[in-house]
């Protein structure tokens, strides 16, 4: 909104700064961070009062988690309020990529909110039926992909190689939808320990802040040999707002957590990251940068598949972060080591830009 206002006024004086993505990205981080820290205590008090017993804790999970009973969930609402307010304030709202990201973020947040609400209301960790949830997520992702692809095309670019393109045609729509839905749920599965999902989301958002900025700049994109997507640079502000909102949430989610993110936040953040990757045409780079989330999701798929076929488990418990807990790793050790893995993967993802 401020961009529109400054543009309408002709960017006079100090308002000329609003022209620059770098200034608005920094402002978005600060806005989301300050707003998140301000509303955080109020949200936590509200959630405690309304939820009573808080998020249900699985009895068959690690015994150390039983001490977390009574901790409220749906803390993702704090992230979403900070993120969306900051994004609306600093982004160019005439950009269709902005609305695609906002649509997926808000849509997945609603799905996650209903799932969290069902869990809290019924005092069960099951939530709404999986098929219903996936169907709604695919509809949301499909609408966003239609908005994006009309400007970007249906080619799949391979990382590490210059000008190696796979023309997927109509199959690209399915691929992009699966990526958005899959990544949203992968982040959701990772959100099982205090701070485990939040920091890697920030690292991935920082990585894609760089990627969308470079993709949106014709000179940088040409020099690096990456696809140029006019208008994609605006999403750098969205990525910055994610970082600010997650930093504020991590203040309250640091062990011992005062609030859990819940499906409300994890689904929305995963979907937002994937939507940015589709916009910048760096879908496979997302799989590398978000490799931690991918492994978490694969561990669940492998565990369920193998158990149904053989009656035996591959891991002591899935997702895989619980496997390491069962091996005797303290929760803090699992979290910090997974953070380190996310940083290494992000650096590897950024390396693909230069190696082309």
């Amino acid at each position: 909104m401020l961009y529109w206002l400054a543009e309408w006024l002709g960017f006079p004086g100090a308002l000329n700064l609003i022209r620059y993505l770098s200034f608005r990205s920094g402002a978005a981080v600060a806005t989301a961070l300050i707003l998140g820290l301000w509303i955080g205590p109020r949200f936590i008090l509200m959630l405690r009062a309304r939820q009573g017993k808080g998020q249900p804790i699985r009895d068959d999970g690690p015994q150390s988690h039983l001490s977390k009973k009574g901790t409220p969930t749906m803390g993702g609402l704090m992230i979403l309020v900070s993120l969306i307010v900051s994004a609306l304030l600093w982004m160019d709202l005439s950009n269709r990529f902005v609305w695609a990201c906002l649509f997926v973020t808000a849509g997945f947040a609603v799905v996650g909110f209903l799932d969290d609400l069902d869990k809290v209301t019924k005092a069960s960790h099951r939530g709404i039926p999986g098929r219903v949830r996936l169907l709604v997520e695919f509809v949301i992702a499909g609408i966003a992909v239609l908005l994006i692809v009309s400007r970007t095309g249906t080619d799949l670019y391979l990382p590490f190689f210059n000008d190696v393109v796979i023309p997927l045609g109509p199959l690209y729509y399915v691929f992009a939808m699966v990526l958005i839905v899959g990544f949203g749920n992968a982040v959701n599965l990772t959100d099982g320990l205090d701070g485990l999902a939040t920091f890697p989301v920030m690292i991935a958002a920082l990585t894609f802040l760089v990627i969308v900025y470079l993709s949106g700049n014709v000179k940088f994109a040409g020099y690096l040999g990456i696809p140029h997507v006019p208008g994609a640079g605006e999403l750098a502000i969205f990525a910055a707002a994610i970082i600010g909102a997650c930093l504020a949430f991590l203040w309250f989610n640091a062990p011992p957590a005062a609030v859990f993110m819940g499906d409300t936040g994890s689904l929305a953040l995963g979907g937002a990251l994937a939507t940015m990757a589709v916009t910048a045409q760096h879908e496979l780079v997302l799989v590398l940068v978000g490799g931690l989330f991918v492994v978490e999701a694969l561990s669940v798929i492998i565990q369920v598949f193998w158990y149904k076929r053989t009656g035996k488990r591959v891991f002591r418990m899935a997702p895989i972060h619980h496997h390491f807990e069962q091996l005797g790793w303290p929760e803090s050790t699992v979290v910090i080591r997974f953070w380190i893995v996310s940083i290494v993967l992000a650096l590897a993802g950024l390396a693909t830009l230069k190696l082309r």
Side-chain angles (χ1 to χ4, degrees):
M1 288 186 287
L2 287 179
Y3 181 86
W4 275 0
L5 177 61
E7 186 178 42
W8 181 70
L9 293 173
F11 297 104
L15 289 180
N16 188 52
L17 285 171
I18 295 179
R19 286 179 183 269
Y20 300 102
L21 285 173
S22 55
F23 173 79
R24 287 187 285 136
S25 296
V29 172
T31 301
L33 175 60
I34 293 169
L35 181 58
L37 291 173
W38 181 67
I39 66 175
R42 294 161 178 80
F43 263 77
I44 292 170
L45 287 175
M46 178 192 72
L47 292 172
R48 280 179 180 163
R50 292 181 177 274
Q51 294 179 13
K53 295 182 180 180
Q55 177 171 302
I57 305 296
R58 291 173 57 178
D59 294 327
D60 60 343
Q63 294 302 301
S64 60
H65 289 204
L66 297 177
S67 62
K68 300 182 181 184
K69 282 187 176 179
T71 305
T73 185
M74 299 187 192
L77 289 171
M78 297 159 47
I79 297 175
L80 291 164
V81 170
S82 305
L83 165 60
I84 292 175
V85 169
S86 180
L88 291 176
L89 198 60
W90 295 106
M91 297 182 80
D92 177 6
L93 300 181
S94 65
N95 187 312
R96 69 167 54 204
F97 299 141
V98 169
W99 289 108
C101 277
L102 285 172
F103 180 71
V104 170
T105 304
F108 277 29
V110 170
V111 174
F113 175 82
L114 294 175
D115 197 53
D116 284 334
L117 185 64
D118 192 71
K119 291 175 184 176
V120 171
T121 303
K122 297 179 180 178
S124 168
H125 62 270
R126 295 185 181 277
I128 59 178
R131 290 182 180 180
V132 174
R133 188 168 111 164
L134 284 174
L135 176 62
V136 176
E137 289 170 5
F138 269 105
V139 170
I140 294 168
I143 294 171
V145 169
L146 286 173
L147 276 172
I148 295 168
V149 172
S150 62
R151 293 288 177 88
T152 60
T154 57
D155 291 337
L156 179 65
Y157 291 81
L158 298 184
F160 299 107
F161 300 99
N162 190 15
D163 295 327
V164 179
V165 180
I166 301 175
L168 291 181
L171 287 177
Y172 181 83
Y173 293 91
V174 178
F175 169 76
M177 289 164 61
V178 169
L179 182 73
I180 292 172
V181 173
F183 205 77
N185 283 279
V187 174
N188 180 225
L189 290 169
T190 307
D191 183 36
L193 301 178
D194 297 347
L196 178 59
T198 311
F199 187 81
V201 163
M202 288 192 293
I203 295 298
L206 179 60
T207 304
F208 272 91
L209 185 156
V210 174
I211 290 173
V212 294
Y213 176 78
L214 295 174
S215 296
N217 186 297
V218 64
K219 292 183 179 179
F220 288 141
Y223 170 72
L224 293 169
I226 61 177
H228 170 53
V229 183
E234 197 67 25
L235 296 185
I237 301 163
F238 193 80
I242 289 176
I243 295 168
C246 285
L247 274 173
F249 177 75
L250 190 59
W251 183 268
F252 304 103
N253 188 234
V259 64
F260 296 141
M261 184 188 298
D263 296 1
T264 308
S266 55
L267 273 176
L269 291 172
L273 289 171
T275 307
M276 284 193 287
V278 171
T279 301
Q281 296 187 289
H282 278 69
E283 303 89 349
L284 297 181
V285 174
L286 175 69
V287 176
L288 176 58
V289 171
L292 176 66
F293 304 119
V294 175
V295 170
E296 290 273 14
L298 286 175
S299 70
V300 174
I301 295 170
I302 292 169
Q303 184 88 319
V304 172
F305 173 78
W306 195 249
Y307 186 79
K308 286 184 175 180
R309 286 184 64 88
T310 68
K312 297 179 181 180
R313 292 178 171 85
V314 176
F315 307 102
R316 292 194 177 187
M317 189 175 180
I320 199 168
H321 57 260
H322 290 320
H323 171 77
F324 289 108
E325 282 191 290
Q326 298 287 26
L327 289 177
W329 290 20
E331 180 175 337
S332 58
T333 301
V334 177
V335 170
I336 292 173
R337 287 178 177 173
F338 277 39
W339 286 2
I340 294 170
V341 169
S342 71
I343 293 171
V344 172
L345 291 172
L347 292 174
L350 288 174
T352 66
L353 298 175
K354 188 60 178 174
L355 290 176
R356 297 188 198 201

